[in-house]
Amino acid sequence: MADLVLAGGRVLTPDGVLDPGWVSVTGGRIDAVGAGPRPDALVDLAGNWLVPGFVDVHCHGGGGRAFTGHDPALAIAAHRRHGTTTTMASLVSRPIPELARQIRELSELVRGGDIAGIHLEGPYLSAARCGAHDPRVLRPPDLDSVRTLLAAGGDTIKMITIAPELEGAVAATKLLVDNGVLVAIGHTDAAEAQVLPAVDAGASVATHLFNGMRPLHHREPGPVGALLDDERVSVELICDLVHLHPTAVRLAAHHAGPSRTLLITDAMAAAGMGDGVYDLGGLEVTVQDGVPTLAGGSLAGSTLTMDQAFRNFVQQCGLSMAEAVAATAGRPAQLLGLADEVGAVAVGLLADFVVLNQDLRVVDVYRRGHREDRS
Ligand SMILES: [Zn+2]
């Protein structure tokens, strides 16, 4: 006897849509998936979509909290209400000793299963493309400091963003990849010729493609052209329609395809909250009409949630439901090495689901087979 049977909806599986389809859950995992009616259903999906819980590999906070502040659980909960059932905690650039302390604190949450890992966005970034990172703390990726950060995190650091033009970037990339850490290229002013050695050394992700990097030029493709065109690289897109025009999203997603496209939030504390003044790694950020900016006007992360990114991707950028599922769940789960646990509606995986209505708004969120309280 299953703990939970959801039926009567459009279930998006890796093999296609089951309409109507059903999912059966025992002990927090999916034990069967099928097509047709289930008279014994415990939950009627009422024609809604059932998609896998979202996996966000780049998120700084939400619900009024950064992951570095007190009570990071509020940030996790804010995004969970919007369908994110697996999240990375991203840290902005800080001096090495402060980052090491933040990493040690967050490592507890990784070991407890509340977050899937830590992403260090810096401090090895280009001052010319620093965005909302404090330029005073940026530095080249010397191996000593890289080792200090790795030691602070044990195996909880899953991704580090590096500008490949900085001195030592290739050696640092090799060290990190050898330690099982994903190296992402971002906040960079590199020319294409400076990007390729880092990819050859194992860098495999583009941190928010287009944003915080030298733009594409037809005579100097720079990081955008190099990363988007390289089959070894998965590209993050901030699909809030503020950071990227829908045409830029569509161009990138079509070129990279479902096997290389990831939607991220890059959300800061204000995600899931109202407008106001917030702190981002020591910098004051003003949120107006949902858009966070620094005093100079530079964008400072987003207030995006994964359900909104999903909706924008389908409704405003013209991608399919299957492509949206791949970009919000399947591909990020694979990238994190979690594809046998999360990222799809498939037998054996954890019962992490989002129920979306016809307008792709969240109706319900299930994590480990438990319905989240979204009130
Ligand atoms: Zn960034």
Side-chain angles (χ1 to χ4, degrees), residues 58 60 92 119 121 125 129-133 161 186-187 207-208 211-212 236 238 266 301:
H58 187 159
H60 297 276
V92 296
H119 162 223
E121 191 175 14
L125 308 178
R129 300 284 176 187
C130 65
H133 292 258
T161 301
H187 288 280
T207 291
H208 45 57
N211 299 113
E236 297 179 353
I238 308 175
D266 192 19

Side-chain angles (χ1 to χ4, degrees), residues 227-248:
L227 297 168
L228 186 54
D229 202 38
D230 197 311
E231 295 288 328
R232 299 168 289 180
V233 178
S234 292
V235 300
E236 297 179 353
L237 301 173
I238 308 175
C239 193
D240 63 351
L241 312 183
V242 174
H243 283 76
L244 297 175
H245 189 282
T247 301

